[in-house]
Amino acid sequence: MLGQTDLWLLSPEIAMTGLALLVVVLDFFVKRKAIISIVSIAGLAVPAACATWIAVTDNRTITGFYGMLRVDNYALFFDFLFILIGAGTVLASYDYVRLYMKNAGEFYALMLFALVGAMLMASTGELITIYIALELTSFPLYVMAGMLRNSVPGDPGSASRSSEAGIKYVLLGAMSSAILLYGMALLYGTTGSTDLGEIARALTSIGKGPDSLVLLLAEVFIFAGFGFKISAVPFHMWAPDIYQGAPTPGTLFFSVASKTAGFAALIRVFVDGGLFSASSFYLWGLIGVAAVLSMTLGNVVAIAQTDIKRMMAYSSIAQAGYILVGFTALAFNPSSASASTNSAMLVFLAVYVISNIGAFAGIIALANATGGERVRDFDGLVRRSPALALGMSLCLLSLAGIPPFAGAISKIFIFITAWQGGGFLPFIVIIALLNSVISLVYYAGVVYRIFVAPPPREDRLRVSPALTAAMTLSVIGILAATVFFQPLLLAGKMGALDLFGFLTLASK
Amino acid sequence: MSFPILSAIIFVPLVGGIITATLPRRVAWPVALGIGLIDLALIAAVGAQFGRIGGYQFAEHAPWIPSLGLEYSLGVDGISLFLAILTALLAVIAIASSRGEVPNGQRGGLYFGLMLLLAGGIQGVFLTTNVFLFYVFWEVMLVPAYLLIGTFGGPRRAYAAIKFVIYTAIGSLLMLAGVIGLGAVATASVGHFTLDLPTLVHHVPAGAQGWLFLAFFAAFAVKAPLFPFHSWLPDAYTEAPTPVTVLLAGAMSKTGAYGFIRFCLPLFPNAVRDAAPIIETLAVIGILYCAVQALVQPDFKRLLAYSSISHMGVILLGIFALNAQGLDGAVLQMINHGITTGALFLIAGIIAERTQTRSIRELGGLATRLPMQVLVFCVAALSSLGLPGLNSFAGEFLALLGAFQANVVFGVLGTLVVIPAAWYLLRFFQGVMEGPSPSLSDDGGTTRPRTAVARDLNASDLAVLVPLLALMVLLGFFPGPLPDRIEPSVTTSVLVGQHPAPTTAPLITTHK
């Protein structure tokens, strides 16, 4: 029977949906768009409170709606991450939306709906629900990509690029959904269930028999489908064009929300569904190749970019590659010992989200003040706005993985846990380390421009309070994650343990 | 719990640096100098209470990220103590000597702030006892050094800064691979994942030592620098503003040699024994090659840069002799090299600033005009040559003695090679101070732009140089207190792997 517990478990998503609807309605009646922004960001406190309430309740049930909803620590970790993303995006987009977009309410409402989908993606253990949640996340993103109807002053082509980005995103997104659905269908055909627990149980009883080719196909298709969301090579083609074409706050949102949601579901399906335990040789080989290609291609091509958003697109492809190093280790060694690998991936995602929000806040701040979104527009930023320059540099250095910042520690954490997996993993880790050197060229390149290159004009840039807040929060977040890395790691570990605990439970 | 004095030594300059970076130019200098002096006072207090025993003293432990083996562990022993004192001293001198002008514009706060950050990073490298934390501080040095060269350097600063970063970053990333691998291979033997240095000693399996040593070697060889990994250095030292060069050449270059002593020797004894002949060969080649390079440099700052590499070769020769004399000498020489190189670069900076040129060819006959300058320069140059009675003699002698004991061939080669290595300084000294003034003879005495305008050392120059000169003389006559404190640490924590497992009797007895 459905009962109060089910609703209670779904309360963060319900609250988020309510907030989204409220923003839509408010948009009709409220003239001052600032109020909509304030409502959007303040309203995030409600789903956050719901998630906290669930998190602090001891001995709670974690499954609801006949097993479709699974609100374990893993889901809660991601819930908080998505709420953080929402807050960061609203803060960073406030001025941009006010200046260049006519439809502030729609932008925020779409973002909130996408977050509902993303939260559901992390907190369900059933294939069809995952698929629906994925579509719920994706459709608002397609619209957000094409939302820039009038060109930004100083960049006449931006509106048409935005429309182009929207169309491309829809077409490629639809195709990837189809591939994912095909993979899910094959998995259902092999195991006779769409519930991840049932699938894991069925896979253990089947063993590695003659069906394993079908299973491998299913796994590859599912990986490909999510690979699009996380922009891993060879499913990355959409990212540069869409990152560049979409309005910058939208780009910020794609780069963190889409990737985080994609990884949340990917890890859940493969670990909870027991796909790793059942998989044959080829799978970890394929994932390893995807990881190496993502890192290498992302980092090498990023060097050549002149547009900062395209550079960030390739940077995010490379970052996905680093996380996939951990995922390869999971695939290679799917015992419960790899809970530490899994928690490394979660922590890395959290730190990536914080750093990326900060970096994009810097990009948006500069674009608002000067209209420039090229890499060379950062020349001499330290003389024009020292605070912005320092914050932006810190976020970039964290992304590049320069110690002591959290980005470096979380990256090294993935590498350490992966290395311990043995086999060919140390070689992948060494490739990843070499990639970190390559990535320095473009991250430090921007820092170099900020500090060393002569500025095009000797004026002081004005940074709005909202963007200052976004940047400050990111910097504080990075520093806090650096000092209090252990608590963050414990949070990730609790999430990871839930995932693996479920696996052992299911296989009994 | 007692006052965490080692943390204070690291974080006073780090936090102070961030604060200083935001201050306007006029306030920044006294504040930075004050912070530097506080740091020097703190490390001096540590030195005063330091006991003459091996092992780490003033140790501090705090868990940071235990699952990663990353613990906040600090400790000081005889090897790191003097290097930390040297770093604090050179930081004060570097800041004090840049009172006059901040190169390239008005960002004075940033300039002094970055210098303090660099000094704090170097202190962290010297004072930590956790391999992971060492790596973290190692990278903390990178960013301020890069920005100092890139923002405040000479005309080719962009090239020099990028070259510096690429060399150092590749080295340190390989070291990171080594750190991760070290923790992984030692897990089986230790029982859990840890990167605590004292715990790891004796726990690195012989089979894994080769690769791990190579990974650490990459980072240390670049920083030291060991021939042929040195080519970033002449550019970086030449382009950096003089006070920054003092800090780079005097303190930061020691981190590479220190890394060899602190990590490679105790952790990978087998690999080090195998690699020692190769590294000794490279060191000898480096001493000679860089001396020859120094002989032909027209730019005297570049000459000093090559001279600095050449002298670092002697230190590496001493380290890889793998015996107590060699290591004592190497550590002693690291301190003395820091003092002497620092003084020489300061003098070169003063000459360059007063005459507006760094070309030896354009100068000459300064001695008659600048009596103080010539005296100071003469002492520093003689110290660099290793004149008995000045500081460098004892260290160089011990290092070469160690090399002799380990291998007569390298001992002989090393000693022979040090002799021509002295020429270039005489060339510098003679070219600038003695002989006819070229501008006089060229222009028939009508215009004397180069040497005529040169002023002798003033009070603030002397305030910076005299402490260094005093140390040269003092350590020349009384080097004793240093080896007394260095040696116990060398035997207990560096040469542990080079002998069979510790015997029942303690290797050292505590001094009265």
Side-chain angles (χ1 to χ4, degrees):
Chain A
M1 269 300 286
L2 288 178
Q4 280 181 334
T5 326
D6 296 302
L7 288 177
W8 176 65
L9 285 176
L10 197 62
S11 59
E13 283 85 358
I14 295 175
M16 194 68 107
T17 316
L19 179 62
L21 292 170
L22 177 69
V23 169
V24 172
V25 174
L26 269 183
D27 194 31
F28 286 122
F29 301 108
V30 177
K31 280 276 184 290
R32 289 192 51 193
K33 300 300 174 197
I35 294 175
I36 297 174
S37 306
I38 291 166
V39 168
S40 308
I41 193 160
L44 285 173
V46 183
C50 294
T52 315
W53 181 29
I54 298 175
V56 296
T57 310
D58 286 332
N59 297 325
R60 60 177 190 271
T61 28
I62 56 164
T63 53
F65 292 99
Y66 307 108
M68 278 189 213
L69 197 65
R70 182 164 305 138
V71 187
D72 46 13
N73 286 326
Y74 179 82
L76 289 170
F77 183 89
F78 278 104
D79 278 356
F80 286 115
L81 207 51
F82 287 126
I83 291 166
L84 188 78
I85 290 172
T89 312
V90 174
L91 279 178
S93 62
Y94 173 69
D95 297 275
Y96 190 98
V97 170
R98 195 170 48 89
L99 286 172
Y100 304 129
M101 291 158 90
K102 297 281 173 283
N103 26 30
E106 288 167 37
F107 183 86
Y108 293 127
L110 285 169
M111 185 202 82
L112 292 169
F113 278 124
L115 284 178
V116 175
M119 285 162 79
L120 271 174
M121 266 171 94
S123 43
T124 168
E126 204 263 343
L127 290 182
I128 292 175
T129 322
I130 289 179
Y131 179 74
I132 291 170
L134 178 93
E135 292 298 305
L136 180 55
T137 320
S138 303
F139 275 84
L141 297 186
Y142 302 152
V143 184
M144 283 163 85
M147 256 182 114
L148 201 61
R149 307 240 183 83
N150 305 315
S151 286
V152 171
D155 186 4
S158 55
S160 61
R161 271 209 312 276
S162 175
S163 310
E164 184 193 324
I167 295 286
K168 270 188 189 164
Y169 207 2
V170 174
L171 292 177
L172 290 170
M175 200 170 79
S176 81
S177 292
I179 293 173
L180 178 70
L181 211 48
Y182 195 24
M184 287 176 171
L186 285 175
L187 196 58
Y188 175 71
T190 316
T191 59
S193 174
T194 56
D195 182 80
L196 289 177
E198 292 292 329
I199 290 172
R201 229 165 286 152
L203 286 177
T204 359
S205 60
I206 292 171
K208 289 176 189 171
D211 277 339
S212 63
L213 185 63
V214 179
L215 186 61
L216 182 67
L217 266 182
E219 288 168 343
V220 169
F221 281 153
I222 292 176
F223 181 72
F226 287 123
F228 175 83
K229 287 283 147 210
I230 61 177
S231 61
V233 176
F235 318 107
H236 65 286
M237 301 293 189
W238 62 278
D241 286 346
I242 288 158
Y243 273 45
Q244 187 189 10
T248 316
T251 312
L252 158 65
F253 189 66
F254 306 155
S255 74
V256 287
S258 171
K259 195 172 299 267
T260 313
F263 267 111
L266 176 68
I267 300 171
R268 169 86 80 183
V269 169
F270 273 80
V271 174
D272 265 9
L275 295 185
F276 282 143
S277 316
S279 73
S280 44
F281 164 81
Y282 306 102
L283 187 65
W284 57 257
L286 289 174
I287 296 173
V289 168
V292 169
L293 285 179
S294 301
M295 293 184 292
T296 314
L297 185 131
N299 280 324
V300 170
V301 181
I303 297 172
Q305 299 307 316
T306 53
D307 185 290
I308 188 89
K309 279 155 78 182
R310 278 188 94 82
M311 192 199 93
M312 290 305 287
Y314 284 104
S315 139
S316 91
I317 293 170
Q319 301 280 349
Y322 297 135
I323 308 177
L324 282 178
V325 171
F327 198 60
T328 314
L330 277 187
F332 182 68
N333 190 7
S335 66
S336 61
S338 16
S340 58
T341 314
N342 198 351
S343 60
M345 292 159 73
L346 300 192
V347 170
F348 186 95
L349 268 171
V351 175
Y352 165 79
V353 161
I354 299 171
S355 310
N356 228 33
I357 289 176
F360 267 102
I363 294 170
I364 296 171
L366 186 75
N368 284 352
T370 67
E373 288 186 341
R374 287 157 308 176
V375 177
R376 68 182 154 94
D377 290 314
F378 283 86
D379 283 5
L381 185 64
V382 69
R383 297 200 204 177
R384 306 172 82 188
S385 173
L388 181 64
L390 280 176
M392 179 86 188
S393 306
L394 192 116
C395 293
L396 287 173
L397 291 178
S398 176
L399 282 173
I402 298 275
F405 304 121
I409 303 177
S410 60
K411 197 196 272 185
I412 295 169
F413 186 25
I414 287 196
F415 293 168
I416 286 182
T417 52
W419 185 299
Q420 285 170 325
F424 72 116
L425 289 167
F427 295 102
I428 291 200
V429 170
I430 288 171
I431 296 175
L433 285 169
L434 290 177
N435 263 293
S436 300
V437 182
I438 301 174
S439 77
L440 263 186
V441 176
Y442 59 92
Y443 288 124
V446 177
V447 176
Y448 176 80
R449 283 178 177 278
I450 288 175
F451 279 93
V452 182
R457 247 186 287 160
E458 291 278 355
D459 53 351
R460 299 289 287 190
L461 296 184
R462 217 188 58 79
V463 182
S464 75
L467 279 165
T468 312
M471 180 62 97
T472 315
L473 287 178
S474 298
V475 168
I476 292 174
I478 291 173
L479 294 180
T482 309
V483 179
F484 304 108
F485 196 83
Q486 189 71 21
L488 182 65
L489 204 152
L490 284 179
K493 194 152 226 162
M494 272 160 66
L497 281 176
D498 263 10
L499 213 54
F500 280 90
F502 178 77
L503 183 63
T504 37
L505 227 72
S507 58
K508 269 175 197 162
Chain B
M1 195 186 145
S2 57
F3 177 67
I5 191 159
L6 295 186
S7 296
I9 290 165
I10 297 169
F11 283 96
V12 163
L14 283 183
V15 176
I18 294 167
I19 295 168
T20 313
T22 62
L23 296 176
R25 158 110 196 67
R26 287 195 183 285
V27 198
W29 183 75
V31 170
L33 190 62
I35 292 167
L37 284 171
I38 292 172
D39 202 40
L40 186 59
L42 286 170
I43 186 72
V46 169
Q49 297 170 40
F50 187 83
R52 295 178 189 190
I53 47 167
Y56 296 105
Q57 306 177 26
F58 300 92
E60 292 173 27
H61 293 281
W64 184 8
I65 310 170
S67 349
L68 291 185
L70 176 47
E71 282 184 28
Y72 180 79
S73 324
L74 305 178
V76 65
D77 69 353
I79 301 165
S80 45
L81 171 69
F82 295 105
L83 289 167
I85 296 177
L86 176 74
T87 306
L89 177 73
L90 288 177
V92 169
I93 283 177
I95 292 165
S97 70
S98 33
R99 194 183 74 151
E101 237 174 90
V102 172
N104 301 341
Q106 287 86 45
R107 282 163 289 164
L110 187 64
Y111 178 69
F112 293 115
L114 287 172
M115 268 212 240
L116 285 172
L117 283 175
L118 177 59
I122 299 173
Q123 296 285 30
V125 163
F126 287 141
L127 294 178
T128 175
T129 58
N130 182 290
V131 185
F132 201 134
L133 196 62
F134 176 83
Y135 170 73
V136 169
F137 280 119
W138 187 266
E139 295 283 320
V140 169
M141 295 190 301
L142 176 67
V143 179
Y146 164 68
L147 289 175
L148 278 170
I149 300 170
T151 317
F152 300 102
R156 286 171 67 244
R157 58 180 184 270
Y159 170 76
I162 292 283
K163 200 169 172 184
F164 166 73
V165 164
I166 291 173
Y167 268 77
T168 323
I170 291 176
S172 52
L173 258 302
L174 287 171
M175 176 166 84
L176 176 57
V179 171
I180 296 173
L182 175 66
V185 299
T187 310
S189 172
V190 178
H192 60 278
F193 190 89
T194 181
L195 286 166
D196 183 48
L197 175 63
T199 317
L200 284 171
V201 175
H202 291 307
H203 283 295
V204 185
Q209 284 186 8
W211 289 107
L212 291 175
F213 172 70
L214 273 184
F216 279 86
F217 172 83
F220 300 150
V222 166
K223 220 33 160 254
L226 178 69
F227 174 87
F229 307 100
H230 65 281
S231 88
W232 61 272
L233 188 143
D235 292 305
Y237 283 14
T238 315
E239 292 308 315
T242 301
V244 176
T245 313
V246 170
L247 214 47
L248 294 181
M252 197 183 78
S253 70
K254 305 300 173 292
T255 57
Y258 175 78
F260 279 124
I261 298 178
R262 177 61 79 221
F263 296 98
C264 290
L265 264 56
L267 287 177
F268 321 119
N270 302 356
V272 167
R273 244 194 320 273
D274 294 343
I278 303 166
I279 297 175
E280 299 255 278
T281 313
L282 289 177
V284 168
I285 297 175
I287 298 173
L288 187 62
Y289 171 79
C290 292
V292 172
Q293 280 284 336
L295 269 176
V296 298
Q297 295 304 321
D299 176 337
F300 57 71
K301 208 172 170 192
R302 221 174 156 81
L303 180 152
L304 285 181
Y306 276 106
S307 129
S308 180
I309 311 174
S310 180
H311 280 107
M312 285 304 292
V314 179
I315 294 173
L316 293 169
L317 205 57
I319 293 174
F320 284 92
L322 304 180
N323 53 35
Q325 281 84 0
L327 278 160
D328 279 357
V331 178
L332 199 55
Q333 186 57 8
M334 277 155 82
I335 319 293
N336 292 325
H337 180 266
I339 296 169
T340 309
T341 310
L344 281 173
F345 272 114
L346 280 175
I347 293 163
I350 292 168
I351 297 177
E353 184 211 338
R354 302 283 156 81
T355 62
Q356 298 299 307
T357 181
R358 290 202 311 244
S359 161
I360 298 176
R361 202 181 294 276
E362 289 181 36
L363 293 172
L366 282 176
T368 49
R369 275 166 223 286
L370 316 172
M372 298 275 259
Q373 179 87 289
V374 83
L375 178 72
V376 171
F377 190 2
C378 187
V379 174
L382 288 176
S383 153
S384 184
L385 302 184
L387 187 79
L390 288 173
N391 58 344
S392 290
F393 173 71
E396 210 158 281
F397 181 77
L398 270 175
L400 290 171
L401 188 67
F404 259 108
Q405 285 186 349
N407 187 331
V408 179
V409 179
F410 286 120
V412 172
L413 279 176
T415 316
L416 285 180
V417 155
V418 170
I419 300 170
W423 268 344
Y424 49 81
L425 269 178
L426 292 177
R427 171 173 164 263
F428 177 19
F429 185 78
Q430 284 187 321
V432 174
M433 290 296 172
E434 297 171 357
S437 175
S439 48
L440 268 175
S441 50
D442 287 354
D443 304 325
T446 47
T447 52
R448 286 174 283 172
R450 295 294 185 209
T451 45
V453 291
R455 285 173 293 112
D456 204 355
L457 299 178
N458 56 30
S460 60
D461 298 330
L462 284 175
V464 171
L465 282 168
V466 164
L468 291 177
L469 290 190
L471 275 175
M472 284 180 202
V473 178
L474 199 67
L475 292 176
F477 282 101
F478 308 103
L482 273 71
D484 275 1
R485 288 165 178 78
I486 294 169
E487 178 149 15
S489 300
V490 164
T491 11
T492 45
S493 57
V494 179
L495 291 170
V496 280
Q498 298 302 332
H499 304 293
T503 45
T504 46
L507 287 169
I508 36 102
T509 45
T510 319
H511 291 250
K512 280 281 169 225

